[in-house]
Amino acid sequence: MRAASDLRGARISMPVRGMSCSSCAQRLEQALREVDGLRDPVVNFASENASVERTSGEVSPKVLAQAIESAGFEVPVQTIRLRLSSMTCASCSNTIETALRRQSGVVSAQVNFASEIATVAYDPSGIDGVELAAAVEKVGYGATVLRGKTVDVTAERELRRAERSDRMMVVGAALLTLPLVFPMFLGPWGEGLALSPWIQLTLALPVQLIAGSRFYQGAWRSIRGGSANMDVLIALGTSAAFLLSLWNLGRGGHLFFESSAAVITLVLFGKGLEARAKRSSTQAIRSLMELQPDIANVQQDDGQWVEVPTDAVGRGQLVIVKPGERIPVDGLVEAGVSSVDESLVTGESAPVVKGAGDRVTGASINGEGLLKIRVTEVGEGSTLGRIIEMVEQAQGSKAPIQETVDRVSAVFVPSILGISVLTVLAWLLLDGEVEQAVVAAVSVLVVACPCALGLATPTALMVGTGRAARGGILIKDAVALERTHKIDVVIFDKTGTLTEGQPEIAKVEAMHGSEEELLRLAASVQQGSEHPLAKAVLRGAQLAGIKVHPTENFQTRVGEGIEASVEGKTIFVGSPRWMTELGHDLGPLQTSISAAQSGGTVMLVATAKLVLGWISVADPIRATAREGVARLREIGIKSVMLTGDNAITAQQVAKAIGIESVIAEVLPEQKSKVVAEMRAKGHVVAMVGDGINDTPALALADVGFAMSTGTDAAMHTAPVTLMRADPRLIADAISISRATSRKIRQNLFWAFGYNVLGIPLAASGILSPMIAGAAMAFSSVSVVSNALLLRRWKSGEAPAADSRLVETRD
């Protein structure tokens, strides 16, 4: 949680840890009242949060954090994002990261060169957002604290203005440069068209000093910050060519004004294309943010309907959505029936019919009916808000391979400067021509491009995770994306994942008494349970018009069943295995129980001495489960079904879906053990689940996949969330992961290969400075453009084979 504002009179808030009771909250409030510059403290013990109002704009959030810790409580590490400016290459991002990590109280710092966002985890008692921004500015770059989302209207307007200004600068530089380079294209015939030396100087001077000023400014910022970036290379290279031309102007020697002007123009042109392409990589976030309507029709206390900004809508209010309108908030339908298109949020193309009591998602499109919706979530807590947050989190993270690239980028520019010096010395020793030595060194400085290295990984990640989100797959970070394409075993939980998770009663068999009384006892015992099987029994009793009895001494036996006292008699409802452990002889019932287990799960109902009967409950298989497993099999990935159900039911479901490997009758705490055993055999394991009992296994797996239809605990634990309960999305996730990883490898190959090839050619004199400048500009643009090809990926595409994917093991 960030401080709410840095303005005098505004309230700031922070989370607090260490409060054990309400008296702790009162003690903290009293301590905060005694701090100068703070007033009206409110400490909420339930939400573990403290907020105060500042009496002075000079009081920073750090004062609040220090006061909380002085009172004996703890302020947890917080995360803040900074919007950066003036970065020109990967060396700049390394410089900023180093500066941030050196600050007292900073736990970690990551800078994304492509999105120009810094994500910093810090201790608010040691430093605050303003000081973090100041630390960035101290090393020569711009930084502002982001209070909202990554993409905002103001930033977009400023960016467009900057792009228009840059385009005008490129056009002006090009008009001045063309007369200088035109004779070169005509070869020997162009000598007669060559401009006089003084006209060449007149044309080149504004290009060098005005259009090229951004490189001098960037170089100065970089050097002042104690590092060297791309601007240093361009500034040194073009200045050397320009100054050599000035020297030769008085001596009648060869002029290189066209080279310095052409390099500046070409690099500016390339930077413009790069910026435009980089902005396209954030299209996913921009598109998601545009989904939410600006206006909502809200019912006031007096019953009148008024239009208000969506941001002003609160939980519990009633919203009306007309046919064809986009639903502005998450909520529950109170009145009306309509089909709702949720494709832009969940990726599901078919409209879903919604009626009273159904949950609807903000940003979905209402169909032909009028809906009245009671608001449950708004803003960042809504489904769309959480999607945007997760996509931003993924786009701001770093892939493991990026760490290696960062280390290379940190020494790249100093290495190029060293190579250029060696180039001059080598030419002077071998040829003795000063001009040729300088031209070769200039070509080395200009051709080297750390930008391509810095953009290779983050742009592919940004486009890939954004495209996955549009397909209904939320990937939390780059590490998860990196691991997903290596998966060779997928373990599926059965209930709610491969099946609908809405089991229904298939058969009731009474051994003693009536079937109605058996169902009444079973429903009475299970009315306190949240288990899907218990809910199925309760629904069946309700549909049959059966009223349940009150119960006492309710106890749940995890993985086995439930017991409770009904009208003074202890009733047990659970698995055949548990009944055997309780001492019941199931021999006479074995044939009928086995037959019932072939189509569902059997729960026996018994007293301490007598088995009263059994109830069979079946959970329908998801329509897309078989296709999802088949797609995994096609790409060499083994599927395993893991369930607490009996082996007979599990085998029947697995056979219907096409899964050969089944592990049944597994207790919840044993699921993670199965995952650990699979990993110990060398598999890269994915776990797919939706319940609280799946969370340990989801956390232990190499990649956890949670269904959004499941529990919040599962979604918080798993690094990948599937926005609709569709097993086919597992193959889609692997597909986009492989495609993204492939783009990263292609980009890095191009970036490294370009420099490995271009630098020797430049040093040997084969590349002129002008050609070197064009090649440099092209390298960054090609890397970003290649990453943008990921936007063509579509849900349902067969994942391309991964050469590094190990064979499925037994």
Side-chain angles (χ1 to χ4, degrees):
M1 182 179 292
R2 297 185 297 271
S5 176
D6 289 326
L7 301 177
R8 179 178 59 191
R11 297 193 71 84
I12 56 174
S13 62
M14 281 186 182
V16 180
R17 287 181 184 166
M19 294 189 295
S20 57
C21 62
S22 58
S23 63
C24 293
Q26 294 171 4
R27 179 162 61 86
L28 180 54
E29 280 188 2
Q30 183 58 40
L32 294 177
R33 287 191 186 97
E34 299 172 1
V35 179
D36 292 337
L38 304 179
R39 69 182 179 192
D40 191 21
V42 177
V43 179
N44 189 315
F45 170 62
S47 63
E48 296 185 305
N49 188 77
S51 68
V52 295
E53 186 176 312
R54 283 182 286 193
T55 59
S56 171
E58 297 177 357
V59 178
S60 70
K62 184 167 67 173
V63 174
L64 173 59
Q66 290 172 342
I68 292 171
E69 295 196 343
S70 297
F73 302 99
E74 179 187 352
V75 178
V77 170
Q78 298 184 48
T79 301
I80 196 171
R81 293 179 300 126
L82 304 175
R83 164 77 68 186
L84 305 173
S85 60
S86 303
M87 287 199 302
T88 56
C89 67
S91 298
C92 300
S93 59
N94 290 332
T95 300
I96 295 173
E97 275 189 3
T98 301
L100 288 170
R101 288 170 181 166
R102 286 175 179 169
Q103 303 305 305
S104 174
V106 171
V107 177
S108 65
Q110 287 190 343
V111 175
N112 189 313
F113 173 50
S115 64
E116 297 184 325
I117 299 293
T119 304
V120 187
Y122 69 104
D123 177 0
S125 65
I127 197 168
D128 61 22
V130 176
E131 291 172 322
L132 289 170
V136 175
E137 292 170 353
K138 190 175 180 180
V139 293
Y141 301 91
T144 55
V145 178
L146 272 174
R147 301 299 183 191
K149 292 297 176 185
T150 300
V151 180
D152 58 71
V153 176
T154 303
E156 287 287 288
R157 282 200 296 263
E158 292 177 355
L159 184 60
R160 282 195 288 268
R161 273 200 300 268
E163 286 182 348
R164 284 195 296 269
S165 176
D166 289 342
R167 280 198 298 270
M168 292 176 62
M169 184 67 73
V170 170
V171 170
L175 291 175
L176 294 171
T177 302
L178 281 174
L180 294 172
V181 301
F182 182 70
M184 295 177 57
F185 293 112
L186 298 179
W189 300 278
E191 292 183 4
L193 298 176
L195 302 174
S196 71
W198 292 104
I199 293 178
Q200 290 186 47
L201 173 61
T202 302
L203 293 172
L205 189 62
V207 176
Q208 187 72 38
L209 299 183
I210 299 175
S213 62
R214 61 168 288 175
F215 301 115
Y216 290 110
Q217 293 168 2
W220 171 243
R221 283 194 299 266
S222 178
I223 293 170
R224 192 179 67 184
S227 64
N229 63 4
M230 181 208 77
D231 291 323
V232 173
L233 300 180
I234 299 300
L236 281 176
T238 58
S239 296
F242 187 82
L243 292 174
L244 179 61
S245 300
L246 282 180
W247 172 259
N248 287 340
L249 189 64
R251 300 171 54 244
H254 188 74
L255 304 181
F256 300 95
F257 287 126
E258 80 286 345
S259 294
S260 62
V263 166
I264 289 173
T265 301
L266 287 169
V267 173
L268 285 176
F269 178 70
K271 280 293 173 186
L273 294 178
E274 177 188 314
R276 186 174 179 180
K278 280 167 63 179
R279 194 157 72 92
S280 296
S281 68
T282 63
Q283 183 62 42
I285 290 286
R286 191 178 296 105
S287 298
L288 287 170
M289 293 190 69
E290 290 173 352
L291 291 179
Q292 186 180 53
D294 296 326
I295 299 297
N297 288 304
V298 178
Q299 187 178 44
Q300 300 295 326
D301 293 338
D302 59 4
Q304 297 296 315
W305 293 92
V306 296
E307 289 188 348
V308 301
T310 302
D311 293 340
V313 178
R315 292 186 184 90
Q317 289 188 294
L318 195 61
V319 172
I320 189 171
V321 183
K322 299 174 183 177
E325 291 184 341
R326 197 177 293 276
I327 298 172
V329 293
D330 288 5
L332 294 173
V333 177
E334 283 210 352
V337 177
S338 182
S339 59
V340 176
D341 180 0
E342 300 179 327
S343 60
L344 292 175
V345 179
T346 66
E348 176 58 65
S349 57
V352 182
V353 177
K354 301 287 185 178
D358 289 334
R359 189 174 299 277
V360 291
T361 304
S364 303
I365 300 174
N366 185 25
E368 69 286 349
L370 182 73
L371 294 177
K372 290 184 179 180
I373 300 168
R374 184 69 64 180
V375 180
T376 57
E377 291 290 346
V378 293
E380 295 184 3
S382 66
T383 300
L384 181 61
R386 293 199 305 271
I387 290 173
I388 293 172
E389 182 180 1
M390 290 179 69
V391 174
E392 285 183 333
Q393 180 180 337
Q395 294 187 343
S397 63
K398 285 190 176 182
I401 196 172
Q402 184 65 28
E403 300 296 332
T404 302
V405 176
D406 287 346
R407 286 195 292 271
V408 173
S409 299
V411 298
F412 185 87
V413 174
S415 299
I416 296 303
L417 292 174
I419 293 172
S420 67
V421 171
L422 292 176
T423 299
V424 171
L425 295 176
W427 275 98
L428 290 177
L429 290 173
L430 296 175
D431 189 74
E433 286 288 335
V434 176
E435 288 186 6
Q436 184 57 48
V438 172
V439 169
V442 168
S443 296
V444 169
L445 292 172
V446 171
V447 79
C449 184
C451 302
L453 288 175
L455 292 168
T457 300
T459 49
L461 282 174
M462 292 172 69
V463 179
T465 53
R467 191 65 193 85
R470 295 301 298 271
I473 304 163
L474 298 184
I475 302 173
K476 286 184 180 178
D477 55 46
V479 175
L481 187 72
E482 175 76 12
R483 289 177 179 169
T484 299
H485 81 276
K486 300 177 183 177
I487 291 169
D488 65 338
V489 170
V490 176
I491 299 176
F492 288 95
D493 171 56
K494 181 179 76 69
T495 305
T497 303
L498 293 172
T499 63
E500 294 288 348
Q502 289 284 340
E504 302 293 341
I505 292 177
K507 188 174 183 181
V508 179
E509 185 78 26
M511 303 291 107
H512 300 277
S514 68
E515 293 180 356
E516 180 179 336
E517 182 60 23
L518 181 72
L519 186 55
R520 186 193 311 277
L521 288 173
S524 298
V525 171
Q526 299 191 90
Q527 61 186 309
S529 174
E530 291 297 318
H531 194 282
L533 297 180
K535 290 182 177 180
V537 173
L538 288 166
R539 278 196 303 271
Q542 184 179 14
L543 290 173
I546 296 173
K547 294 183 179 180
V548 297
H549 299 292
T551 60
E552 297 178 345
N553 304 321
F554 177 88
Q555 293 185 56
T556 299
R557 307 291 184 180
V558 178
E560 295 176 331
I562 299 171
E563 65 176 90
S565 296
V566 182
E567 297 182 333
K569 184 164 46 178
T570 301
I571 302 295
F572 302 87
V573 179
S575 67
R577 180 181 59 189
W578 187 38
M579 294 300 165
T580 302
E581 292 174 358
L582 291 174
H584 291 294
D585 180 13
L586 302 183
L589 303 176
Q590 199 60 56
T591 301
S592 58
I593 290 176
S594 297
Q597 284 178 329
S598 65
T601 300
V602 172
M603 294 178 287
L604 275 77
V605 184
T607 64
K609 297 181 179 180
L610 186 68
V611 176
L612 302 177
W614 52 265
I615 299 173
S616 173
V617 175
D619 187 4
I621 296 171
R622 289 195 183 278
T624 57
R626 185 174 183 85
E627 183 183 346
V629 170
R631 289 182 58 193
L632 292 173
R633 189 187 308 112
E634 288 172 2
I635 57 176
I637 295 177
K638 180 179 180 181
S639 296
V640 177
M641 190 173 78
L642 189 63
T643 179
D645 270 355
N646 65 82
I648 298 175
T649 301
Q651 288 290 351
Q652 289 290 331
V653 173
K655 183 178 180 181
I657 294 174
I659 294 179
E660 297 179 359
S661 182
V662 179
I663 303 174
E665 300 182 16
V666 178
L667 296 176
E669 60 268 21
Q670 294 176 326
K671 289 186 176 181
S672 56
K673 183 180 178 181
V674 173
V675 172
E677 289 173 351
M678 287 279 189
R679 293 185 65 191
K681 293 178 181 178
H683 291 291
V684 180
V685 179
M687 175 69 195
V688 188
D690 69 334
I692 293 176
N693 61 342
D694 298 321
T695 54
L698 290 170
L700 189 60
D702 292 288
V703 184
F705 289 82
M707 299 283 191
S708 65
T709 52
T711 63
D712 288 341
M715 287 186 281
H716 286 310
T717 302
V720 181
T721 297
L722 307 179
M723 291 307 296
R724 61 184 189 275
D726 186 346
R728 294 177 300 182
L729 289 181
I730 307 297
D732 282 346
I734 294 171
S735 172
I736 190 63
S737 173
R738 291 185 181 180
T740 304
S741 297
R742 191 162 55 250
K743 287 301 178 187
I744 289 173
R745 294 197 296 271
Q746 290 172 359
N747 284 351
L748 289 175
F749 175 82
W750 168 253
F752 280 109
Y754 160 83
N755 284 293
V756 167
L757 181 65
I759 292 171
L761 291 176
S764 63
I766 296 176
L767 292 182
S768 68
M770 185 171 64
I771 300 300
M776 177 194 177
F778 177 71
S779 66
S780 295
V781 175
S782 63
V783 163
V784 179
S785 299
N786 188 45
L788 290 175
L789 293 177
L790 282 169
R791 292 163 65 180
R792 297 180 179 178
W793 177 88
K794 295 179 181 179
S795 178
E797 288 184 353
D802 193 320
S803 60
R804 294 178 298 173
L805 187 66
V806 295
E807 292 184 2
T808 303
R809 304 171 185 81
D810 295 330

